[in-house]
Amino acid sequence: MHMKRFLAAFAASTFLLGATGADAACDKTEKVTAVWLPIMQTTAYYAALEEKLFEKACIEIVSTKMEAPNQIIDALIAERADFGPPGAAAGIAMIAEAKFPGKLKVFGLQGGGIAVDRINDGLIVKPDSPIKGFADLKGKSLGHVPGIQWRTISRHMVRSAGLDPDADVKLVDLAVAMQVPAVVGGTVDATLSLEPVGSIAVASGKAARAMTNPVAHVIADPFYSGASLMTTKFLKERPEVARKVVAVIDEATDLVNSDFKKYKPILTKYTPIKEDQLELLAQPYLRGFKDLNDTDMKSYQALVDVFIKEGVVAGPINVEDKLLAKSDLGN
């Protein structure tokens, strides 16, 4: 079953790539609405915009920036948008799918891992902190990205270290921009932070990584916190256009993966990252539709299982059932 899905995905994407040729004449331009977060995991989408890949595929993108992961999922479930480019919340997507089955399809994953040497997250502390891991957080406070996804992951990380997330550690929702200042100022003792927070913090000398990729150590390696999503409404009503969108994101993902240095500068246009911080950034681990394999599915399943174990969503949920298939694209 796993291999059949993989081969179907590969065949579909191989066919898809021909749909984005630069010389294609546009008899008709299709309007497509995207909702995205200004984070590094969304880099392939930025590259697609900058390289005008959507225009070449005869697609007019209505690009809507969101400020929180749940806003993306809410917009997709309410069918106010057609797709969420790379960087949409992988965990929240499955919570939404449990509540509204059959609304979303996954066509890419983003994160990091130990074996692939890509940093996704870090346990950030003061340079002289005695905290070396989650087991050292008893009686202390831990900041994390706001929302149910990273609160759940944080609770699981604390529990896996032998502590009670309800009694032993104070969990604090912290906006990304406030995480390092909170550690430096002593508002919290540590944060579980996504890149590029860790790289920038370490380079500043004001904070340090007690652990690199701690979530991959505990949940799955590689670990994916981001996903590329489409509504099934979009897939069913406009499969040809959906196919082009998948092809564009796959092509852009390949571009970024092969030459991240070239595309790093565009991050200053779409995210809060400043030009003098570009050299500090760690390359994200981006997986397009055509690349997804059994390892990726097992990793994603491990994240969803954490949400089930933490009582956030009822199981079982099989993530393979949520994966885009060739048949979804009208082929």
Side-chain angles (χ1 to χ4, degrees):
M1 180 63 182
H2 292 169
M3 185 54 67
K4 284 175 69 178
R5 273 193 175 276
F6 170 67
L7 291 175
F10 180 79
S13 279
T14 301
F15 177 77
L16 294 173
L17 291 174
T20 58
D23 297 326
C26 293
D27 295 328
K28 180 183 179 182
T29 298
E30 294 279 355
K31 186 174 290 187
V32 176
T33 300
V35 282
W36 56 280
L37 276 181
I39 59 176
M40 284 184 63
Q41 290 183 355
T42 315
T43 303
Y45 177 64
Y46 311 146
L49 294 176
E50 293 297 305
E51 298 287 359
K52 301 190 181 304
L53 299 184
F54 289 109
E55 287 94 325
K56 294 172 185 176
C58 304
I59 293 172
E60 177 189 347
I61 285 287
V62 179
S63 189
T64 305
K65 181 172 73 172
M66 298 296 192
E67 298 302 325
N70 62 293
Q71 293 176 350
I72 289 180
I73 306 303
D74 288 347
L76 293 172
I77 293 297
E79 298 174 347
R80 297 192 303 270
D82 300 307
F83 81 106
I92 301 176
M94 291 302 102
I95 294 174
E97 262 292 301
K99 293 180 179 178
F100 306 98
K103 282 278 193 174
L104 303 173
K105 287 291 184 179
V106 177
F107 69 99
L109 293 168
Q110 304 83 40
I114 301 159
V116 297
D117 194 27
R118 294 284 186 268
I119 301 175
N120 183 70
D121 48 81
L123 181 62
I124 310 303
V125 299
K126 287 182 179 179
D128 59 351
S129 172
I131 297 170
K132 304 302 178 186
F134 285 81
D136 300 321
L137 289 172
K138 187 170 184 177
K140 301 187 184 300
S141 55
L142 175 69
H144 58 80
V145 177
I148 188 65
Q149 174 158 312
W150 281 95
R151 175 155 292 245
T152 302
I153 292 170
S154 297
R155 287 176 60 84
H156 183 74
M157 295 297 292
V158 168
R159 200 187 305 280
S160 297
L163 302 179
D164 183 344
D166 293 312
D168 294 330
V169 181
K170 180 182 179 182
L171 296 179
V172 181
D173 281 26
L174 273 179
V176 172
M178 296 305 299
Q179 290 179 4
V180 174
V183 170
V184 174
T187 305
V188 296
D189 297 293
T191 60
L192 176 55
S193 297
L194 284 166
E195 278 296 298
V197 173
S199 292
I200 293 171
V202 171
S204 74
K206 296 179 180 179
R209 282 194 195 96
M211 296 181 70
T212 299
N213 280 331
V215 184
H217 279 280
V218 172
I219 296 179
D221 184 26
F223 172 73
Y224 300 110
S225 56
S228 308
L229 304 169
M230 273 190 178
T231 68
T232 52
K233 180 177 185 290
F234 178 44
L235 289 166
K236 289 175 181 178
E237 293 183 354
R238 295 193 287 166
E240 294 293 328
V241 184
R243 184 173 65 199
K244 290 180 180 180
V245 168
V246 174
V248 165
I249 296 299
D250 265 8
E251 182 179 351
T253 298
D254 285 345
L255 290 174
V256 173
N257 283 338
S258 63
D259 196 351
F260 181 60
K261 185 176 181 180
K262 174 183 176 180
Y263 291 98
K264 271 199 299 186
I266 65 176
L267 289 167
T268 61
K269 180 177 178 179
Y270 295 95
T271 77
I273 295 168
K274 298 177 175 59
E275 189 172 348
D276 60 359
Q277 297 171 330
L278 289 175
E279 290 304 313
L280 310 175
L281 303 183
Q283 182 172 347
Y285 190 51
L286 309 177
R287 302 289 285 171
F289 175 59
K290 66 181 177 58
D291 299 319
L292 295 178
N293 58 27
D294 285 352
T295 298
D296 299 324
M297 289 299 99
K298 289 176 182 176
S299 176
Y300 193 12
Q301 186 68 58
L303 171 63
V304 174
D305 289 345
V306 164
F307 280 75
I308 296 170
K309 290 174 185 175
E310 290 293 329
V312 174
V313 64
I317 296 174
N318 184 352
V319 298
E320 285 199 46
D321 295 339
K322 313 301 182 182
L323 179 67
L324 182 71
K326 183 179 178 181
S327 58
D328 295 320
L329 297 169
N331 296 307

